[in-house]
Amino acid sequence: MTNKVEIRCLSKFFGSVQVLHGIDLTVKQGEIVCLIGPSGSGKSTLLRCINQLEGAQEGIVRVDGVIQGWSVKNGKLHELSSREVIAQRSHIGMVFQRFNLFPHLTALENIIEAPIHVRGIRRADAIEHACELLTNVGLESKREAYPSELSGGQQQRVAIARALAMKPRLMLFDEPTSALDPELVSEVLNVMKSLAESGMTMIVVTHELGFAREVADRVVFMDQGRIVEDGPPEELLTSPKNSRTKSFISSVLQ
């Protein structure tokens, strides 16, 4: 399999505080990687650096072999313009903890907004694709509903459909179930499982170890801005080698 994401020596500071310490990570085409770890370990920041929502001070991120945020001219790196960054970012879907839907737009309108205005897709084509996506996430009857009329789980499924409407090559999920009531978690995880089965490359920050065990090809444990352990879920979640990983998993499973 070819490499979809390559991260090399990535370091990120907020002021004088270093939150990522020389991260090296490779994700292959079609692979599902779950990032786990305590709050403040750098998981969400890593996702935001991949999607250029945060800039890193050191290191590089490549997606499909292309350096994110920079171009190479005459052997030197040159920072991309805002428009070029947006163009790169449009190939990466991201779903956040909070659903971030536009409250004044219906479910359908939320989904077609970016394809029309960023990609220049014809409105009729965007609507047709959006209706297919709403059917795929089990919300075909909610196309005219506003976010305030939807449950948290439904809003998150609309957010996933909205990300997929851009036909991304990579999907990033930042704790997509953490803001949901427990009974609504499974409906979102089921949509993510279906997406994984379709062959989409996914990097998922999650505290749902059951989901990681069932769906992930690899689980990466992060702590204090570093990758501590990386391996298949049946190994890392059952018999982790690192003592810090062991204590974290024990605390989550209590």
Side-chain angles (χ1 to χ4, degrees):
M1 287 189 293
T2 58
N3 291 338
K4 172 64 71 172
V5 181
E6 295 177 83
I7 301 170
R8 296 290 176 262
C9 303
L10 194 73
S11 293
K12 169 66 180 175
F13 294 79
F14 288 117
S16 61
V17 178
Q18 187 169 2
V19 293
L20 294 177
H21 296 260
I23 297 292
D24 288 312
L25 182 66
T26 299
V27 179
K28 295 189 178 298
Q29 174 73 41
E31 198 171 26
I32 314 301
V33 174
C34 284
L35 305 180
I36 65 171
S39 297
S41 59
K43 308 182 300 297
S44 295
T45 300
L46 178 57
L47 283 197
R48 293 176 67 83
C49 287
I50 294 171
N51 207 24
Q52 301 186 65
L53 296 173
E54 297 284 356
Q57 281 74 29
E58 299 171 7
I60 60 171
V61 176
R62 288 188 177 90
V63 177
D64 289 324
V66 177
I67 297 175
Q68 300 299 284
W70 303 85
S71 62
V72 180
K73 297 176 183 175
N74 300 321
K76 295 183 179 180
L77 288 174
H78 298 268
E79 195 167 0
L80 296 184
S81 67
S82 296
R83 179 175 293 182
E84 291 169 320
V85 167
I86 290 171
Q88 282 191 338
R89 191 185 293 142
S90 71
H91 297 292
I92 301 174
M94 188 158 181
V95 178
F96 300 86
Q97 295 179 37
R98 298 291 174 179
F99 325 119
N100 294 345
L101 298 178
F102 296 114
H104 62 291
L105 299 180
T106 65
L108 181 71
E109 290 167 340
N110 264 282
I111 295 169
I112 66 175
E113 180 81 3
I116 291 173
H117 295 290
V118 177
R119 286 278 172 84
I121 304 296
R122 288 177 59 245
R123 182 178 179 85
D125 293 336
I127 290 175
E128 181 180 359
H129 188 216
C131 289
E132 291 175 6
L133 291 170
L134 283 169
T135 298
N136 291 345
V137 300
L139 292 174
E140 60 271 22
S141 65
K142 299 291 186 180
R143 55 179 287 177
E144 300 303 328
Y146 289 90
S148 61
E149 299 170 322
L150 300 172
S151 70
Q154 290 171 333
Q155 289 185 60
Q156 192 62 296
R157 284 186 280 159
V158 172
I160 293 172
R162 180 178 61 179
L164 293 174
M166 293 293 283
K167 299 183 178 179
R169 302 168 186 163
L170 167 69
M171 282 291 289
L172 308 176
F173 292 87
D174 187 6
E175 297 202 33
T177 61
S178 65
L180 300 178
D181 293 332
E183 66 269 20
L184 300 177
V185 168
S186 62
E187 63 186 57
V188 173
L189 294 182
N190 286 337
V191 170
M192 293 173 64
K193 289 174 186 175
S194 296
L195 188 57
E197 291 167 0
S198 74
M200 175 67 73
T201 309
M202 296 164 56
I203 305 176
V204 184
V205 172
T206 186
H207 58 274
E208 300 285 347
L209 298 190
F211 172 81
R213 182 179 287 106
E214 183 179 349
V215 175
D217 297 298
R218 284 164 48 216
V219 176
V220 174
F221 174 67
M222 291 183 64
D223 190 32
Q224 297 182 344
R226 294 178 170 87
I227 291 178
V228 176
E229 195 164 348
D230 178 346
E234 62 272 15
E235 293 180 12
L236 189 142
L237 296 176
T238 304
S239 53
K241 298 179 176 65
N242 187 279
S243 59
R244 183 68 189 93
T245 313
K246 289 179 183 178
S247 63
F248 171 78
I249 291 173
S250 295
S251 68
V252 172
L253 295 177
Q254 283 179 351

